[in-house]
Amino acid sequence: MPQPIMVSRQSGRDFRRDIQGLRAIAVLAILVFHLSDSWLPGGFAGVDIFFVISGYLISRQIIQAESFSFRTFYLRRFRRLFAALLATVLVSLLVGWKILTPADYVSLGWSALYSLLATANIHFYLSQNYFDSDVFLKPLLHIWSLSVEEQFYLFWPAAIVALKWLRLPLVPAIVAVGVMSLAASYWVTGIAPSFAFYMMPFRVFEFSLGAAVVLLGDIRCSAWLRQACGAGGLVLITISLLVFDGRTPWPGLAALVPTLGTAALIFAGPASFANRLLDNAIFQFVGRRSYSIYLVHWPLIVFYRYWMLLPVTPAELVSLFAGSIVLGAVLFSAVEKPFRYGFSQTAKLRSWRAAGTAATGLAAVCALAGSVGLAVAVVVADGFPARVKSVQKPGELTFAGDLCDHRLSRCGFGDLSANRIVYLVGDSHALNLLFGLDELFKEHGFKGIAFFDHGCLFLRNTRRFISGVPDQQCAKNVAQAYRQLEADKFPVILVGNYGGYARDIGESDGPLFEGVGNDYVNWLEERLSKSLRQIRAGERTTILLNSSYNAGINIATCLARPGGDLKSCQPAPLAKVRKETEAIDLMVERVSAQIPGLMIIDPKSVFCSNDQCEIMAGNQLYFRDATHLTNAGSRFLISRIQDRLLAALNGSPAHAPSTD
């Protein structure tokens, strides 16, 4: 999160233009990454750059102060950060009224309250779930980093002041804190990457690197060494922005690359050649406004994508880039700068200063009351559903897989007293069948056993990777399912979003598979074939679903928005979806050709004919997003394929290979 230089206008001798330029690099990297991670895959490291800058500037103010005032420190923090944050929250709530669905508006209301309480990072970590994974539904998600900084401010000044008062050496203490934080970050990132990403203790080492630069700043060293530090720092930052990506375990040890680079650049000093490169008009303009640009860019991107629904074009991304800079400059001039510095103190305007300060304070109080009041009202009123022409209220939207407790990895359904067992195995796309199968099995005397894990492809001896970190629970669940399947010959229904795991899956005891395109499809084909042979698919009834229908838009969200209707929320035509899934579907057919008697079912043909696709009946939606089914959708899917399912499960030769 962009952190300002802790100096007043009167302390210009402390101002470092190279740090201003460094802030520009950080915020531009974040902006480009959020527009398209393919443009700058490691742009998220801009946040870590800001944390080092913050640690340096805050620690410098505390360490070098002859008499440190907590009141002055926190007042300056409040004046610097709060007004622009408040304006961002309030405007987001107002925009949300016009375009968000009731459910998403309630989510925004909660995140607004937590953002104002400096606990947004905790809120977003705790609110994670499978269907809450779309970051483009969270206009205030980026405030997590500001909350991390604000939490850091609560203990860091007191810790340094206490060390100074006790006359204890600062260097070993700060180094010890940094090392402990780094070790904890490395360990926790390997087992709970989201927790390490959001929680402040695992970022403290980044702040402490900045503090270490303050303590090392007076060390006498040669000019060439500072030149080397500047050049090396710039190289490390460049590497982190270009080489790292969303699969890199983060923060952990990898975060040392941009943070050490930032610390080295700051240590090099403004006279270094690399640092002088940062002192240019563009970087100075952006750097001074980096906090405001950071605040506005994410809500702008989210609201635009949310309203458009369709993929954003390169031209639109460029426009969003320019719009973020312009709106950031407006927020800086209209809110951040006046609230931070107050009014001019020249003789001509001095008489107006008191009135201006009072007006600014009154405006802040009104904005705070308005933001909190509106956020609370949104939550209490359940998102004001009367704003929209919704065919189905958000609370009525179901997921077909909710019959199973998502905290578990297996559950029973259907007629639990029956002796005839059928296994349902797979990720959330397998759970699309659960509600409909539950009704069908109860009627016809089958006991269903589901082995499942959201976002985990059930191919034997594989596991998914989350941000580059192996998901051991996925590997465990897959292994558990195949142990059971290998122990008997009951019928199996195997389902997976096979096309959705490129560069997110690997061997259960190996590294992430980096192949894409045909390499990925061939890799899948080999493992799907081995998985089916391992469970003796040719000797038991085995039903395989190929790619699910993808509507191309979140249908429920589109219809629930103000102004949403069937005309503006048209799903993708069947021909387009078939083209997108052709490689995967052909792979499934090739595998099935090797195993006599295997049944293939194509969900796409269930929902779509050549000219139209069915997404609802009456006011009951079939889709809760673009691919996952509601209870009604699951019932509809199973009703269309139940004759073939029952024939196969009852041992009829009618279950010959077919793709519908």
Side-chain angles (χ1 to χ4, degrees):
M1 205 291 303
Q3 172 56 45
I5 295 178
M6 293 292 301
V7 294
S8 67
R9 284 180 170 177
Q10 287 72 29
S11 57
R13 66 182 183 277
D14 297 324
F15 183 81
R16 285 185 54 174
R17 293 175 62 88
D18 58 323
I19 293 181
Q20 195 83 293
L22 190 55
R23 293 168 61 206
I25 288 180
V27 78
L28 290 175
I30 295 169
L31 174 54
V32 172
F33 173 76
H34 282 160
L35 289 171
S36 176
D37 56 8
S38 63
W39 290 357
L40 198 64
F44 57 84
V47 170
D48 306 87
I49 294 172
F50 278 124
F51 285 161
V52 177
I53 296 174
S54 178
Y56 170 77
L57 297 171
I58 295 299
S59 300
R60 185 182 69 176
Q61 183 189 28
I62 302 170
I63 293 172
Q64 296 180 355
E66 295 182 3
S67 178
F68 180 77
S69 168
F70 285 97
R71 178 182 179 278
T72 300
F73 174 82
Y74 287 114
L75 181 61
R76 292 178 69 182
R77 293 293 82 219
F78 176 80
R79 291 175 65 90
R80 174 61 182 89
L81 300 176
F82 192 71
L85 170 64
L86 186 59
T88 302
V89 170
L90 180 57
V91 172
S92 296
L93 287 168
L94 295 175
V95 174
W97 174 279
K98 297 295 294 182
I99 72 171
L100 294 183
T101 68
D104 293 333
Y105 201 27
V106 170
S107 176
L108 175 60
W110 279 116
S111 60
L113 293 172
Y114 281 99
S115 295
L116 295 174
L117 292 173
T119 53
N121 59 325
I122 299 173
H123 165 68
F124 287 120
Y125 169 73
L126 294 176
S127 66
Q128 293 180 107
N129 61 65
Y130 185 78
F131 293 108
D132 194 38
S133 61
D134 189 350
V135 297
F136 291 111
L137 298 179
K138 304 175 183 178
L140 298 178
L141 177 62
H142 64 317
I143 304 301
W144 74 268
S145 63
L146 178 59
S147 294
V148 167
E149 287 209 21
E150 291 169 332
Q151 292 160 20
F152 172 75
Y153 297 153
L154 292 178
F155 88 93
W156 194 251
I160 293 181
V161 170
L163 289 171
K164 292 177 65 176
W165 184 75
L166 294 172
R167 300 184 182 278
L168 296 176
L170 292 177
V171 174
I174 289 177
V175 170
V177 169
V179 170
M180 287 189 294
S181 172
L182 177 62
S185 180
Y186 169 73
W187 181 64
V188 176
T189 297
I191 58 175
S194 293
F195 188 70
F197 183 87
Y198 280 112
M199 295 298 113
M200 183 269 295
F202 310 109
R203 301 281 185 162
V204 167
F205 74 92
E206 301 179 336
F207 294 100
S208 65
L209 275 174
V213 175
V214 177
L215 298 172
L216 297 174
D218 294 332
I219 294 179
R220 297 177 62 87
C221 59
S222 61
W224 73 264
L225 179 58
R226 292 196 180 268
Q227 292 286 355
C229 285
L234 200 57
V235 168
L236 288 177
I237 290 175
T238 302
I239 289 174
S240 66
L241 299 181
L242 296 177
V243 175
F244 295 143
D245 58 27
R247 295 177 303 280
T248 304
W250 206 268
L253 294 180
L256 281 176
V257 178
T259 53
L260 284 174
T262 304
L265 263 172
I266 297 175
F267 176 77
S272 160
F273 174 75
N275 294 58
R276 291 201 302 271
L277 293 176
L278 304 178
D279 185 3
N280 60 75
I282 295 177
F283 280 6
Q284 294 305 303
F285 177 88
V286 174
R288 191 175 187 213
R289 294 155 181 80
S290 58
Y291 177 55
S292 288
I293 293 172
Y294 181 83
L295 286 177
V296 304
H297 87 282
W298 185 246
L300 176 64
I301 294 171
V302 169
F303 283 129
Y304 186 81
R305 287 181 179 266
Y306 190 98
W307 181 251
M308 294 301 294
L309 288 176
L310 299 174
V312 182
T313 66
E316 290 172 321
L317 293 175
V318 172
S319 297
L320 287 171
F321 178 91
S324 298
I325 302 297
V326 171
L327 288 180
V330 171
L331 181 63
F332 173 79
S333 298
V335 179
E336 179 188 342
K337 182 180 177 183
F339 195 82
R340 180 185 181 190
Y341 294 119
F343 286 79
S344 172
Q345 299 187 42
T346 61
K348 185 177 181 180
L349 297 178
R350 188 176 294 119
S351 60
W352 296 94
R353 182 171 182 269
T357 301
T360 301
L362 179 61
V365 171
C366 293
L368 176 60
S371 298
V372 173
L374 180 55
V376 171
V378 168
V379 172
V380 172
D382 200 23
F384 295 101
R387 297 176 300 118
V388 303
K389 299 177 182 178
S390 178
V391 296
Q392 200 164 16
K393 294 180 181 179
E396 297 172 348
L397 276 179
T398 54
F399 171 51
D402 285 339
L403 285 174
C404 289
D405 187 338
H406 294 181
R407 295 171 297 179
L408 306 177
S409 60
R410 63 185 295 176
C411 77
F413 62 96
D415 183 356
L416 299 181
S417 64
N419 294 322
R420 296 189 295 175
I421 294 176
V422 178
Y423 295 117
L424 175 65
V425 182
D427 55 15
S428 62
H429 286 218
L431 295 180
N432 277 338
L433 282 63
L434 188 61
F435 185 85
L437 284 179
D438 179 65
E439 293 183 336
L440 182 69
F441 285 6
K442 285 177 178 176
E443 180 181 354
H444 293 275
F446 290 97
K447 176 182 179 180
I449 299 177
F451 290 93
F452 64 94
D453 187 353
H454 286 295
C456 177
L457 190 60
F458 276 68
L459 296 181
R460 191 173 182 274
N461 292 332
T462 67
R463 61 184 175 183
R464 72 169 173 178
F465 287 69
I466 304 175
S467 299
V469 177
D471 182 355
Q472 301 297 355
Q473 189 61 46
C474 172
K476 178 181 177 181
N477 292 337
V478 171
Q480 177 192 48
Y482 276 92
R483 280 197 301 270
Q484 182 62 45
L485 296 179
E486 292 167 14
D488 56 52
K489 292 184 180 181
F490 292 121
V492 178
I493 303 174
L494 183 63
V495 190
N497 179 24
Y498 298 106
Y501 294 89
R503 305 187 75 181
D504 282 326
I505 193 171
E507 300 284 356
S508 58
D509 57 354
L512 175 70
F513 180 70
E514 296 282 359
V516 296
N518 289 334
D519 290 339
Y520 172 66
V521 173
N522 293 336
W523 188 89
L524 279 180
E525 182 173 350
E526 179 182 352
R527 279 143 191 85
L528 177 58
S529 179
K530 287 182 177 179
S531 298
L532 292 171
R533 294 185 183 282
Q534 192 68 33
I535 63 173
R536 304 183 300 282
E539 303 174 21
R540 70 201 304 169
T541 297
T542 304
I543 301 167
L544 196 63
L545 269 69
N546 59 19
S547 303
S548 300
Y549 172 68
N550 188 329
I553 60 172
N554 188 319
I555 294 174
T557 296
C558 183
L559 291 174
R561 297 180 309 167
D565 54 35
L566 291 174
K567 183 178 180 180
S568 62
C569 300
Q570 286 294 312
L574 180 59
K576 178 181 178 182
V577 178
R578 285 200 186 283
K579 184 176 181 180
E580 292 173 347
T581 63
E582 182 179 18
I584 294 296
D585 291 344
L586 289 175
M587 179 273 294
V588 173
E589 292 181 20
R590 288 195 299 270
V591 171
S592 69
Q594 305 169 15
I595 304 175
L598 185 73
M599 174 188 285
I600 302 177
I601 294 177
D602 180 16
K604 296 183 289 297
S605 63
V606 171
F607 290 98
C608 298
S609 61
N610 290 329
D611 55 349
Q612 65 180 7
C613 295
E614 297 186 61
I615 60 173
M616 60 187 302
N619 69 341
Q620 295 294 308
L621 289 174
Y622 291 160
F623 294 86
R624 62 165 294 129
D625 51 33
T627 57
H628 294 97
L629 301 181
T630 63
N631 290 348
S634 180
R635 181 186 290 120
F636 175 78
L637 171 61
I638 297 302
S639 70
R640 291 294 187 92
I641 63 174
Q642 68 176 19
D643 290 343
R644 295 186 61 222
L645 280 177
L646 292 174
L649 297 178
N650 287 319
S652 167
H655 70 280
S658 171
T659 60
D660 285 325

